[in-house]
């Protein structure tokens, strides 16, 4: 392992700069200074970043670096760093690399021995987490789930037993189907939904998932959403009205087995899982499943 101080390099420096997620007043003085002094700004959308620079009174060379060209831009940007140029990496909002372009460039710069210096700034996930009213640690940032419902549910299934608070991002046109899949896989948990964080129309919903879904059904969701959800209880049970309740208690045996089948298990595997969770003999679950199915 080679230890290196931030500025011990013959090449340039890559600054990872956090930019406002809405309110321009959240941009730090340090971020302004870095943006004004670097040789080049690699940004998600040059038009968006130009507006920010214009607000700051900064004129600077920019190059686009986004989801669709990030791999093609890698060698060019690394070449500039090796020439001794300083580059500020920014996204349209928040910290680059957090559900935004930047991961590959940062990784390659580190591998090449270039200094990579974070310039902390606003972040929707952390902002929503600390104001959610849910336990802020431990937490697991998942970001955007797959767009396809089947793939989304398969991804959610990985986290259903995780006791950490979960944090997601979602677009306005997908927030309702996404939350319905979350409800299906993770159950009716406590949740905090935040939209348009730091902006004029910032809005919060803090309630059960089912209650929030009812509100979202009444009006068309607008703005980008951050979803903070309580994690699974460590013992697999959830307290309700002063007593412990297992997640499957409201299901019949058939519904319990079918729940596992919908998540990819064979019928045999689903019966085994149901029997284990209910502490019942497999034969009893098998008979009950077919009795309910035949009715």
């Amino acid at each position: 392992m080679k230890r290196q101080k931030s500025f011990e390099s013959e090449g340039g420096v890559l600054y990872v700069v956090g930019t406002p997620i809405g309110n321009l007043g959240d941009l730090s003085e340090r971020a302004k200074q870095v943006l004004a002094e670097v040789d080049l700004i690699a940004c998600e959308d040059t038009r968006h970043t130009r507006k920010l620079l214009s607000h700051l009174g900064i004129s600077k060379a920019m190059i686009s670096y986004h989801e669709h060209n990030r791999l093609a831009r890698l060698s060019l940007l690394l070449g500039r760093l090796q020439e001794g140029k300083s580059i500020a990496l920014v996204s349209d909002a928040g910290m680059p690399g957090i559900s935004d372009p930047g991961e590959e460039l940062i990784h390659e710069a580190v591998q090449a021995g270039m200094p990579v210096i974070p310039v902390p700034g606003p972040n929707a996930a952390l902002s929503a987490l600390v104001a959610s009213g849910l336990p802020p640690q431990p937490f697991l940032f998942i970001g955007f789930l797959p767009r396809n419902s089947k793939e989304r549910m398969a991804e959610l299934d990985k986290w259903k037993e995780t006791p950490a608070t979960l944090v997601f991002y979602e677009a306005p046109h997908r927030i309702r189907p996404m939350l319905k899949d979350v409800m299906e896989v993770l159950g009716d948990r406590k949740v905090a939904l935040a939209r348009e964080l730091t902006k004029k129309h910032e809005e919060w919903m803090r309630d059960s998932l089912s209650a929030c879904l009812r509100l979202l059904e009444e009006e068309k969701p607008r703005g980008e959403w951050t979803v903070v959800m309580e994690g699974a209880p460590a013992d697999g049970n959830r307290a309700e009205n002063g007593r412990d309740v297992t997640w499957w208690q409201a299901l019949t045996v058939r519904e319990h087995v079918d729940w596992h089948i919908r998540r990819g298990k064979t019928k045999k595997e689903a019966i085994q899982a149901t029997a284990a969770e209910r502490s019942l003999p497999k034969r009893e679950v098998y008979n009950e499943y077919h009795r309910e199915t035949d009715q």
Side-chain angles (χ1 to χ4, degrees):
M1 179 180 69
K2 181 181 178 182
R3 297 178 65 182
Q4 181 185 62
K5 293 184 179 180
S6 293
F7 292 99
E8 288 182 352
S9 173
E10 296 180 357
V13 178
L14 177 64
Y15 294 94
V16 183
V17 183
T19 55
I21 59 176
N23 192 320
L24 294 180
D26 291 336
L27 187 71
S28 72
E29 288 298 322
R30 183 184 176 207
K32 295 176 188 177
Q33 181 180 351
V34 168
L35 292 175
E37 294 179 354
V38 292
D39 297 305
L40 178 66
I41 298 176
C43 50
E44 192 173 357
D45 186 331
T46 55
R47 296 166 299 180
H48 184 93
T49 301
R50 185 174 289 111
K51 292 179 182 178
L52 175 62
L53 296 181
S54 176
H55 172 77
L56 300 173
I58 297 173
S59 178
K60 187 64 59 176
M62 293 183 290
I63 184 171
S64 64
Y65 178 76
H66 50 69
E67 178 68 23
H68 304 293
N69 73 359
R70 67 190 194 283
L71 298 180
R73 287 281 197 254
L74 271 179
S75 59
L76 186 154
L77 292 171
L78 287 172
R80 296 288 179 88
L81 289 170
Q82 289 164 350
E83 292 169 5
K85 302 296 183 182
S86 57
I87 298 176
L89 172 65
V90 302
S91 64
D92 285 349
M95 288 298 293
I98 306 297
S99 287
D100 277 321
E103 180 181 351
E104 292 87 358
L105 177 58
I106 294 167
H107 173 78
E108 292 299 324
V110 169
Q111 291 298 107
M114 300 291 178
V116 176
I117 300 176
V119 182
N123 175 266
L126 290 178
S127 299
L129 176 66
V130 298
S132 68
L134 295 171
Q137 69 271 330
F139 76 93
L140 175 64
F141 175 71
I142 297 174
F144 287 97
L145 290 165
R147 298 184 180 189
N148 175 272
S149 179
K150 183 177 180 181
E151 294 175 359
R152 188 160 56 222
M153 293 177 74
E155 180 69 19
L156 286 166
D157 201 51
K158 299 177 184 178
W159 314 116
K160 66 182 180 182
E161 303 298 337
T162 301
T165 299
L166 306 177
V167 184
F168 307 90
Y169 287 159
E170 194 51 271
H173 61 286
R174 288 197 301 269
I175 185 67
R176 283 187 295 209
M178 174 265 198
L179 291 178
K180 288 178 181 178
D181 285 346
V182 171
M183 181 92 165
E184 171 72 15
V185 178
L186 302 184
D188 194 9
R189 302 184 183 185
K190 293 179 183 177
V191 67
L193 308 183
R195 62 177 287 271
E196 300 292 88
L197 281 167
T198 78
K199 299 179 183 178
K200 180 179 179 180
H201 299 292
E202 177 175 320
E203 180 185 4
W204 285 85
M205 297 181 187
R206 298 178 179 91
D207 208 320
S208 65
L209 181 53
S210 58
C212 290
L213 266 170
R214 285 194 294 271
L215 287 174
L216 289 173
E217 292 291 349
E218 297 173 2
E219 57 183 71
K220 182 179 179 181
R222 300 178 184 276
E224 300 298 319
W225 292 82
T226 303
V227 178
V228 184
M229 176 170 293
E230 70 172 333
D235 61 357
N237 295 330
R238 187 172 308 282
E240 183 178 282
N241 297 326
R243 61 192 180 91
D244 286 340
V245 180
T246 48
W247 65 268
W248 45 259
Q249 183 167 342
L251 304 180
T252 66
V253 169
R254 179 183 61 79
E255 290 170 339
H256 194 164
V257 173
D258 286 342
W259 188 92
H260 284 297
I261 291 174
R262 288 197 302 272
R263 282 152 186 80
K265 285 184 168 58
T266 65
K267 185 169 72 173
K268 180 179 179 181
E269 291 170 338
I271 288 173
Q272 289 175 334
T274 300
E277 288 165 348
R278 290 177 176 257
S279 298
L280 293 173
K282 285 185 289 185
R283 172 56 60 180
E284 182 176 336
V285 172
Y286 176 90
N287 291 337
E288 180 66 15
Y289 175 77
H290 286 285
R291 186 187 67 78
E292 292 183 15
T293 303
D294 293 339
Q295 285 182 348

PDB file of all heavy atoms in Angstrom, residues 2 9 15 42-43 46 53 76 110 133 140 161 174 191 205 210 219-220 225 230 237 270 275 281 289:
ATOM      1  N   LYS A   2       0.580   2.152  -0.910  1.00  0.00           N
ATOM      2  CA  LYS A   2       1.328   3.405  -1.000  1.00  0.00           C
ATOM      3  C   LYS A   2       0.512   4.531  -0.397  1.00  0.00           C
ATOM      4  O   LYS A   2      -0.619   4.781  -0.783  1.00  0.00           O
ATOM      5  CB  LYS A   2       1.642   3.724  -2.459  1.00  0.00           C
ATOM      6  CG  LYS A   2       2.435   5.016  -2.637  1.00  0.00           C
ATOM      7  CD  LYS A   2       2.685   5.294  -4.106  1.00  0.00           C
ATOM      8  CE  LYS A   2       3.427   6.607  -4.289  1.00  0.00           C
ATOM      9  NZ  LYS A   2       3.649   6.926  -5.712  1.00  0.00           N
ATOM     10  N   SER A   9       1.836  14.810  -6.120  1.00  0.00           N
ATOM     11  CA  SER A   9       1.621  14.213  -7.431  1.00  0.00           C
ATOM     12  C   SER A   9       2.239  15.094  -8.501  1.00  0.00           C
ATOM     13  O   SER A   9       2.236  16.321  -8.398  1.00  0.00           O
ATOM     14  CB  SER A   9       0.125  14.049  -7.708  1.00  0.00           C
ATOM     15  OG  SER A   9      -0.099  13.628  -9.033  1.00  0.00           O
ATOM     16  N   TYR A  15     -11.004  17.214  -8.324  1.00  0.00           N
ATOM     17  CA  TYR A  15     -11.864  17.635  -7.226  1.00  0.00           C
ATOM     18  C   TYR A  15     -13.274  17.090  -7.466  1.00  0.00           C
ATOM     19  O   TYR A  15     -13.833  17.256  -8.558  1.00  0.00           O
ATOM     20  CB  TYR A  15     -11.933  19.160  -7.138  1.00  0.00           C
ATOM     21  CG  TYR A  15     -10.627  19.822  -6.759  1.00  0.00           C
ATOM     22  CD1 TYR A  15      -9.755  20.294  -7.745  1.00  0.00           C
ATOM     23  CD2 TYR A  15     -10.267  19.988  -5.427  1.00  0.00           C
ATOM     24  CE1 TYR A  15      -8.562  20.909  -7.414  1.00  0.00           C
ATOM     25  CE2 TYR A  15      -9.064  20.596  -5.085  1.00  0.00           C
ATOM     26  CZ  TYR A  15      -8.218  21.052  -6.073  1.00  0.00           C
ATOM     27  OH  TYR A  15      -7.030  21.657  -5.734  1.00  0.00           O
ATOM     28  N   ALA A  42     -15.734  19.097 -15.456  1.00  0.00           N
ATOM     29  CA  ALA A  42     -16.432  17.976 -16.095  1.00  0.00           C
ATOM     30  C   ALA A  42     -17.814  17.904 -15.478  1.00  0.00           C
ATOM     31  O   ALA A  42     -17.948  17.662 -14.272  1.00  0.00           O
ATOM     32  CB  ALA A  42     -15.676  16.670 -15.868  1.00  0.00           C
ATOM     33  N   CYS A  43     -18.858  18.146 -16.287  1.00  0.00           N
ATOM     34  CA  CYS A  43     -20.203  18.277 -15.730  1.00  0.00           C
ATOM     35  C   CYS A  43     -21.205  17.404 -16.478  1.00  0.00           C
ATOM     36  O   CYS A  43     -21.022  17.067 -17.644  1.00  0.00           O
ATOM     37  CB  CYS A  43     -20.656  19.730 -15.754  1.00  0.00           C
ATOM     38  SG  CYS A  43     -20.468  20.564 -17.326  1.00  0.00           S
ATOM     39  N   THR A  46     -23.742  20.616 -19.500  1.00  0.00           N
ATOM     40  CA  THR A  46     -23.051  21.903 -19.568  1.00  0.00           C
ATOM     41  C   THR A  46     -24.022  23.075 -19.455  1.00  0.00           C
ATOM     42  O   THR A  46     -23.689  24.113 -18.886  1.00  0.00           O
ATOM     43  CB  THR A  46     -22.257  22.020 -20.875  1.00  0.00           C
ATOM     44  OG1 THR A  46     -23.137  21.805 -21.996  1.00  0.00           O
ATOM     45  CG2 THR A  46     -21.127  20.997 -20.920  1.00  0.00           C
ATOM     46  N   LEU A  53     -22.588  28.584 -12.901  1.00  0.00           N
ATOM     47  CA  LEU A  53     -21.387  29.410 -13.015  1.00  0.00           C
ATOM     48  C   LEU A  53     -21.737  30.868 -13.279  1.00  0.00           C
ATOM     49  O   LEU A  53     -21.095  31.787 -12.751  1.00  0.00           O
ATOM     50  CB  LEU A  53     -20.481  28.872 -14.127  1.00  0.00           C
ATOM     51  CG  LEU A  53     -19.903  27.468 -13.921  1.00  0.00           C
ATOM     52  CD1 LEU A  53     -19.020  27.084 -15.097  1.00  0.00           C
ATOM     53  CD2 LEU A  53     -19.120  27.379 -12.618  1.00  0.00           C
ATOM     54  N   LEU A  76      -9.749  10.818 -22.099  1.00  0.00           N
ATOM     55  CA  LEU A  76      -9.499  12.245 -22.313  1.00  0.00           C
ATOM     56  C   LEU A  76      -9.269  12.962 -20.988  1.00  0.00           C
ATOM     57  O   LEU A  76      -8.303  13.734 -20.836  1.00  0.00           O
ATOM     58  CB  LEU A  76     -10.676  12.866 -23.068  1.00  0.00           C
ATOM     59  CG  LEU A  76     -10.546  14.329 -23.525  1.00  0.00           C
ATOM     60  CD1 LEU A  76     -11.426  14.581 -24.751  1.00  0.00           C
ATOM     61  CD2 LEU A  76     -10.927  15.311 -22.411  1.00  0.00           C
ATOM     62  N   VAL A 110      -7.847   7.364  -9.051  1.00  0.00           N
ATOM     63  CA  VAL A 110      -7.198   6.770  -7.876  1.00  0.00           C
ATOM     64  C   VAL A 110      -6.206   5.699  -8.306  1.00  0.00           C
ATOM     65  O   VAL A 110      -5.078   5.629  -7.804  1.00  0.00           O
ATOM     66  CB  VAL A 110      -8.254   6.182  -6.911  1.00  0.00           C
ATOM     67  CG1 VAL A 110      -7.588   5.341  -5.829  1.00  0.00           C
ATOM     68  CG2 VAL A 110      -9.070   7.301  -6.272  1.00  0.00           C
ATOM     69  N   GLY A 133     -37.015  11.411  10.759  1.00  0.00           N
ATOM     70  CA  GLY A 133     -37.587  10.931  12.015  1.00  0.00           C
ATOM     71  C   GLY A 133     -37.349   9.458  12.238  1.00  0.00           C
ATOM     72  O   GLY A 133     -37.745   8.911  13.271  1.00  0.00           O
ATOM     73  N   LEU A 140     -28.762   2.210   4.823  1.00  0.00           N
ATOM     74  CA  LEU A 140     -28.282   1.637   3.568  1.00  0.00           C
ATOM     75  C   LEU A 140     -28.832   2.468   2.419  1.00  0.00           C
ATOM     76  O   LEU A 140     -30.052   2.590   2.260  1.00  0.00           O
ATOM     77  CB  LEU A 140     -28.746   0.186   3.436  1.00  0.00           C
ATOM     78  CG  LEU A 140     -28.426  -0.516   2.109  1.00  0.00           C
ATOM     79  CD1 LEU A 140     -26.916  -0.649   1.930  1.00  0.00           C
ATOM     80  CD2 LEU A 140     -29.086  -1.886   2.053  1.00  0.00           C
ATOM     81  N   GLU A 161     -34.676  -8.342   4.778  1.00  0.00           N
ATOM     82  CA  GLU A 161     -34.295  -8.710   6.141  1.00  0.00           C
ATOM     83  C   GLU A 161     -33.273  -7.751   6.733  1.00  0.00           C
ATOM     84  O   GLU A 161     -32.778  -7.966   7.845  1.00  0.00           O
ATOM     85  CB  GLU A 161     -33.722 -10.131   6.164  1.00  0.00           C
ATOM     86  CG  GLU A 161     -34.650 -11.197   5.601  1.00  0.00           C
ATOM     87  CD  GLU A 161     -35.943 -11.330   6.396  1.00  0.00           C
ATOM     88  OE1 GLU A 161     -35.949 -10.944   7.583  1.00  0.00           O
ATOM     89  OE2 GLU A 161     -36.947 -11.806   5.828  1.00  0.00           O
ATOM     90  N   ARG A 174     -42.633   7.349 -11.564  1.00  0.00           N
ATOM     91  CA  ARG A 174     -42.482   5.959 -11.116  1.00  0.00           C
ATOM     92  C   ARG A 174     -42.684   5.797  -9.624  1.00  0.00           C
ATOM     93  O   ARG A 174     -42.615   4.673  -9.114  1.00  0.00           O
ATOM     94  CB  ARG A 174     -41.099   5.419 -11.511  1.00  0.00           C
ATOM     95  CG  ARG A 174     -40.907   5.152 -12.978  1.00  0.00           C
ATOM     96  CD  ARG A 174     -39.703   4.242 -13.228  1.00  0.00           C
ATOM     97  NE  ARG A 174     -38.466   4.817 -12.709  1.00  0.00           N
ATOM     98  CZ  ARG A 174     -37.643   5.597 -13.405  1.00  0.00           C
ATOM     99  NH1 ARG A 174     -37.934   5.892 -14.666  1.00  0.00           N
ATOM    100  NH2 ARG A 174     -36.532   6.076 -12.877  1.00  0.00           N
ATOM    101  N   VAL A 191     -42.411   5.212   6.875  1.00  0.00           N
ATOM    102  CA  VAL A 191     -41.680   5.782   5.754  1.00  0.00           C
ATOM    103  C   VAL A 191     -41.733   7.303   5.824  1.00  0.00           C
ATOM    104  O   VAL A 191     -42.665   7.889   6.387  1.00  0.00           O
ATOM    105  CB  VAL A 191     -42.277   5.278   4.412  1.00  0.00           C
ATOM    106  CG1 VAL A 191     -43.673   5.810   4.200  1.00  0.00           C
ATOM    107  CG2 VAL A 191     -41.384   5.637   3.235  1.00  0.00           C
ATOM    108  N   MET A 205     -43.927  13.689   3.542  1.00  0.00           N
ATOM    109  CA  MET A 205     -44.961  12.787   4.033  1.00  0.00           C
ATOM    110  C   MET A 205     -44.279  11.825   5.003  1.00  0.00           C
ATOM    111  O   MET A 205     -43.322  11.152   4.631  1.00  0.00           O
ATOM    112  CB  MET A 205     -45.595  11.974   2.902  1.00  0.00           C
ATOM    113  CG  MET A 205     -46.321  12.766   1.870  1.00  0.00           C
ATOM    114  SD  MET A 205     -47.059  11.651   0.605  1.00  0.00           S
ATOM    115  CE  MET A 205     -47.650  12.865  -0.583  1.00  0.00           C
ATOM    116  N   SER A 210     -48.655   2.559   3.513  1.00  0.00           N
ATOM    117  CA  SER A 210     -50.003   2.484   2.959  1.00  0.00           C
ATOM    118  C   SER A 210     -50.693   3.842   3.000  1.00  0.00           C
ATOM    119  O   SER A 210     -51.388   4.234   2.050  1.00  0.00           O
ATOM    120  CB  SER A 210     -50.838   1.444   3.708  1.00  0.00           C
ATOM    121  OG  SER A 210     -50.899   1.758   5.089  1.00  0.00           O
ATOM    122  N   GLU A 219     -53.469  12.649  -5.990  1.00  0.00           N
ATOM    123  CA  GLU A 219     -52.948  13.704  -6.852  1.00  0.00           C
ATOM    124  C   GLU A 219     -51.734  13.203  -7.616  1.00  0.00           C
ATOM    125  O   GLU A 219     -51.068  12.252  -7.204  1.00  0.00           O
ATOM    126  CB  GLU A 219     -52.561  14.928  -6.015  1.00  0.00           C
ATOM    127  CG  GLU A 219     -51.545  14.631  -4.922  1.00  0.00           C
ATOM    128  CD  GLU A 219     -51.248  15.845  -4.061  1.00  0.00           C
ATOM    129  OE1 GLU A 219     -52.146  16.222  -3.290  1.00  0.00           O
ATOM    130  OE2 GLU A 219     -50.150  16.396  -4.189  1.00  0.00           O
ATOM    131  N   LYS A 220     -51.426  13.853  -8.726  1.00  0.00           N
ATOM    132  CA  LYS A 220     -50.298  13.453  -9.553  1.00  0.00           C
ATOM    133  C   LYS A 220     -48.999  13.846  -8.872  1.00  0.00           C
ATOM    134  O   LYS A 220     -48.769  15.029  -8.592  1.00  0.00           O
ATOM    135  CB  LYS A 220     -50.390  14.124 -10.925  1.00  0.00           C
ATOM    136  CG  LYS A 220     -49.268  13.723 -11.873  1.00  0.00           C
ATOM    137  CD  LYS A 220     -49.434  14.409 -13.219  1.00  0.00           C
ATOM    138  CE  LYS A 220     -48.303  14.018 -14.164  1.00  0.00           C
ATOM    139  NZ  LYS A 220     -48.447  14.694 -15.482  1.00  0.00           N
ATOM    140  N   TRP A 225     -38.165  12.452  -5.913  1.00  0.00           N
ATOM    141  CA  TRP A 225     -38.500  11.950  -4.578  1.00  0.00           C
ATOM    142  C   TRP A 225     -37.315  11.230  -3.935  1.00  0.00           C
ATOM    143  O   TRP A 225     -36.571  10.508  -4.589  1.00  0.00           O
ATOM    144  CB  TRP A 225     -39.677  10.988  -4.652  1.00  0.00           C
ATOM    145  CG  TRP A 225     -40.965  11.656  -5.017  1.00  0.00           C
ATOM    146  CD1 TRP A 225     -41.393  11.992  -6.268  1.00  0.00           C
ATOM    147  CD2 TRP A 225     -41.988  12.084  -4.119  1.00  0.00           C
ATOM    148  NE1 TRP A 225     -42.628  12.599  -6.206  1.00  0.00           N
ATOM    149  CE2 TRP A 225     -43.019  12.671  -4.899  1.00  0.00           C
ATOM    150  CE3 TRP A 225     -42.160  12.018  -2.738  1.00  0.00           C
ATOM    151  CZ2 TRP A 225     -44.185  13.192  -4.344  1.00  0.00           C
ATOM    152  CZ3 TRP A 225     -43.314  12.535  -2.178  1.00  0.00           C
ATOM    153  CH2 TRP A 225     -44.308  13.127  -2.979  1.00  0.00           C
ATOM    154  N   GLU A 230     -38.073   2.557   7.238  1.00  0.00           N
ATOM    155  CA  GLU A 230     -37.523   1.816   8.378  1.00  0.00           C
ATOM    156  C   GLU A 230     -37.056   0.442   7.927  1.00  0.00           C
ATOM    157  O   GLU A 230     -37.616  -0.169   7.013  1.00  0.00           O
ATOM    158  CB  GLU A 230     -38.540   1.699   9.503  1.00  0.00           C
ATOM    159  CG  GLU A 230     -39.711   0.786   9.225  1.00  0.00           C
ATOM    160  CD  GLU A 230     -40.578   0.560  10.451  1.00  0.00           C
ATOM    161  OE1 GLU A 230     -40.066   0.663  11.578  1.00  0.00           O
ATOM    162  OE2 GLU A 230     -41.779   0.272  10.271  1.00  0.00           O
ATOM    163  N   ASN A 237     -39.626  -9.852  13.751  1.00  0.00           N
ATOM    164  CA  ASN A 237     -40.978  -9.519  14.203  1.00  0.00           C
ATOM    165  C   ASN A 237     -41.162  -8.011  14.242  1.00  0.00           C
ATOM    166  O   ASN A 237     -40.211  -7.263  14.363  1.00  0.00           O
ATOM    167  CB  ASN A 237     -41.246 -10.093  15.595  1.00  0.00           C
ATOM    168  CG  ASN A 237     -41.229 -11.600  15.581  1.00  0.00           C
ATOM    169  OD1 ASN A 237     -41.566 -12.217  14.583  1.00  0.00           O
ATOM    170  ND2 ASN A 237     -40.808 -12.192  16.694  1.00  0.00           N
ATOM    171  N   ALA A 270     -40.957 -23.180  -1.629  1.00  0.00           N
ATOM    172  CA  ALA A 270     -41.870 -22.244  -0.961  1.00  0.00           C
ATOM    173  C   ALA A 270     -42.557 -22.901   0.228  1.00  0.00           C
ATOM    174  O   ALA A 270     -42.736 -22.281   1.286  1.00  0.00           O
ATOM    175  CB  ALA A 270     -42.904 -21.725  -1.952  1.00  0.00           C
ATOM    176  N   ALA A 275     -43.051 -23.544   6.004  1.00  0.00           N
ATOM    177  CA  ALA A 275     -43.057 -24.437   7.164  1.00  0.00           C
ATOM    178  C   ALA A 275     -42.040 -23.982   8.202  1.00  0.00           C
ATOM    179  O   ALA A 275     -42.328 -23.973   9.414  1.00  0.00           O
ATOM    180  CB  ALA A 275     -42.772 -25.869   6.717  1.00  0.00           C
ATOM    181  N   PRO A 281     -44.809 -28.640  10.526  1.00  0.00           N
ATOM    182  CA  PRO A 281     -44.286 -29.726   9.693  1.00  0.00           C
ATOM    183  C   PRO A 281     -44.559 -29.432   8.211  1.00  0.00           C
ATOM    184  O   PRO A 281     -45.605 -28.878   7.859  1.00  0.00           O
ATOM    185  CB  PRO A 281     -45.070 -30.953  10.173  1.00  0.00           C
ATOM    186  CG  PRO A 281     -45.578 -30.590  11.525  1.00  0.00           C
ATOM    187  CD  PRO A 281     -45.837 -29.124  11.470  1.00  0.00           C
ATOM    188  N   TYR A 289     -51.925 -26.155   2.067  1.00  0.00           N
ATOM    189  CA  TYR A 289     -51.795 -25.381   0.822  1.00  0.00           C
ATOM    190  C   TYR A 289     -52.729 -25.939  -0.248  1.00  0.00           C
ATOM    191  O   TYR A 289     -53.473 -25.199  -0.904  1.00  0.00           O
ATOM    192  CB  TYR A 289     -50.349 -25.415   0.332  1.00  0.00           C
ATOM    193  CG  TYR A 289     -50.149 -24.733  -1.018  1.00  0.00           C
ATOM    194  CD1 TYR A 289     -50.115 -23.344  -1.120  1.00  0.00           C
ATOM    195  CD2 TYR A 289     -50.008 -25.488  -2.185  1.00  0.00           C
ATOM    196  CE1 TYR A 289     -49.936 -22.721  -2.343  1.00  0.00           C
ATOM    197  CE2 TYR A 289     -49.834 -24.862  -3.415  1.00  0.00           C
ATOM    198  CZ  TYR A 289     -49.796 -23.488  -3.485  1.00  0.00           C
ATOM    199  OH  TYR A 289     -49.645 -22.879  -4.713  1.00  0.00           O
TER     200      TYR A 289
END
